[in-house]
Amino acid sequence: MMVEAPLFQRIILGLRPGAIDRDAVEVVAELAWLLGAVLQGIFVEDRAVSGIGALLEAREFQLIGRQWRPIEAERLAEDMQLAELSARRLLDRAAQRLGVASFFEVLHDEPMSSLPSLARPGDILAVVAPRDPHERLAPYYLEPALVPGFSATTIFVPRRIGRKRGPVLALVGTPQDKGLSVAAAVARAAEERLVILGPNDSGLREGILHAAKMVGGHWAKTEFVALERLDELAFLSAAEGVQERLIVLTRPPDNAHGDMDPFVIASMRQSPIILVGPTAAADALSRPPNAGDQTSRAAVSTREQSKWADP
């Protein structure tokens, strides 16, 4: 099933030539369906690549024949058009299979770091890890979801997805954490167990479980694991053996992640991460679930809709 009332309007997925991954697109489409959001694909033409053909001295090494040859601007343009068509088809197929509303847009001569400027309140920015981890260290690479001042909700998708089914794992500090409402809503929509890693405090534990139940309703299957510290080491240690399909974290108000690098955690756990912004889902905890849940019961189940729900 999907959420009864959408928590987000759009999921914006940036697509780059040569870095389009089918599994990642399908994971993001699945999350859009579960959250009741529109999937907005943004194909970003790399102006650095498109400008190479204009350089007279630009050359490429041809494996067949083992020789260098000039880079032709016309062929580069054709390759860019083919990459755009491939991205459009991939997005359309993933969205159509799930019944998700989707749109496709092309940004000409814009860097990937421009994507945050497109996010509006109620949007999620989805970022796929580069195929080469060392690319994040390159001078030209700027992680669009971690730029200073950016506070919108973000999905980090690792290159390798470890599981198609499993619990939703959330790191929660207080009952007011925005990530708690999102995690509970996704667990309810996916009919999965919600595993909460939270502080070793009985008062906070009861408050967190009550808040989760307010969102999850009668679908709630919640487990609470107490942590002495809410840091990366304690999180990874407690997560051993959970076999989650999704991790939900709350973005700190000052956007300072400390040692909690979402891409590193996503890669280590082989699970996508939703990093929930401070203004996301503001009314979710105050919106009680429909006890009858007639809309959700009438919806086609995740198992019937999506290959990611196959056991």
Side-chain angles (χ1 to χ4, degrees):
M1 70 180 74
M2 67 181 69
V3 293
E4 185 177 330
L7 300 181
F8 299 94
Q9 299 299 320
R10 295 187 303 170
I11 295 182
I12 300 173
L13 174 60
L15 302 165
R16 290 187 299 135
I20 301 171
D21 185 273
R22 184 186 66 181
D23 288 346
V25 172
E26 290 179 339
V27 165
V28 175
E30 170 90 5
L31 290 173
W33 186 78
L34 290 172
L35 291 167
V38 172
L39 180 59
Q40 175 79 60
I42 305 290
F43 182 82
V44 182
E45 286 191 355
D46 192 330
R47 57 184 169 191
V49 173
S50 59
I52 289 178
L55 301 177
L56 296 177
E57 65 275 11
R59 298 289 188 271
E60 65 176 349
F61 185 73
Q62 189 177 23
L63 291 177
I64 300 178
R66 302 181 65 81
Q67 60 181 351
W68 290 91
R69 68 175 186 181
I71 296 178
E72 302 173 0
E74 294 80 5
R75 189 175 58 80
L76 274 179
E78 291 177 359
D79 289 345
M80 191 70 71
Q81 290 179 350
L82 289 174
E84 176 188 332
L85 180 60
S86 175
R88 185 188 298 270
R89 287 176 175 172
L90 191 60
L91 186 85
D92 288 345
R93 288 172 183 170
Q96 289 171 5
R97 183 167 55 251
L98 295 165
V100 173
S102 67
F103 298 92
F104 189 89
E105 181 181 349
V106 179
L107 286 185
H108 299 280
D109 298 327
E110 294 287 344
M112 283 291 288
S113 57
S114 66
L115 287 181
S117 64
L118 303 178
R120 303 191 298 262
D123 287 346
I124 302 177
L125 179 64
V127 182
V128 180
R131 290 177 178 173
D132 182 359
H134 296 93
E135 185 177 353
R136 296 186 69 196
L137 303 177
Y140 62 83
Y141 187 87
L142 178 61
E143 192 61 74
L146 298 179
V147 296
F150 184 73
S151 60
T153 298
T154 308
I155 298 174
F156 294 86
V157 184
R159 273 295 163 187
R160 176 173 295 182
I161 306 296
R163 290 157 294 280
K164 302 175 184 179
R165 292 297 307 271
V168 175
L169 179 62
L171 180 65
V172 179
T174 70
Q176 292 74 37
D177 275 12
K178 303 301 183 183
L180 176 59
S181 60
V182 175
V186 172
R188 178 190 179 197
E191 300 182 31
E192 296 282 11
R193 185 165 50 99
L194 173 61
V195 178
I196 299 173
L197 306 184
N200 188 14
D201 181 288
S202 59
L204 288 175
R205 175 183 180 276
E206 293 303 318
I208 289 171
L209 290 175
H210 175 74
K213 186 176 181 180
M214 288 293 294
V215 177
H218 65 277
W219 285 108
K221 295 175 287 186
T222 307
E223 175 184 343
F224 188 94
V225 179
L227 302 181
E228 294 297 333
R229 305 180 315 279
L230 299 183
D231 57 21
E232 181 175 338
L233 183 60
F235 172 83
L236 292 174
S237 177
E240 285 295 326
V242 174
Q243 298 297 303
E244 77 285 346
R245 66 182 290 171
L246 175 70
I247 296 172
V248 180
L249 306 174
T250 299
R251 187 187 289 274
D254 58 359
N255 206 28
H257 300 277
D259 294 332
M260 298 281 284
D261 187 322
F263 262 145
V264 171
I265 296 176
S267 298
M268 292 180 66
R269 298 296 305 167
Q270 296 183 3
S271 301
I273 288 180
I274 300 181
L275 186 63
V276 181
T279 60
D283 63 338
L285 289 176
S286 61
R287 183 174 57 242
N290 181 355
D293 204 11
Q294 297 300 319
T295 302
S296 297
R297 289 180 183 275
V300 179
S301 73
T302 308
R303 296 182 181 86
E304 294 169 336
Q305 281 272 5
S306 170
K307 80 167 193 175
W308 289 102
D310 292 338

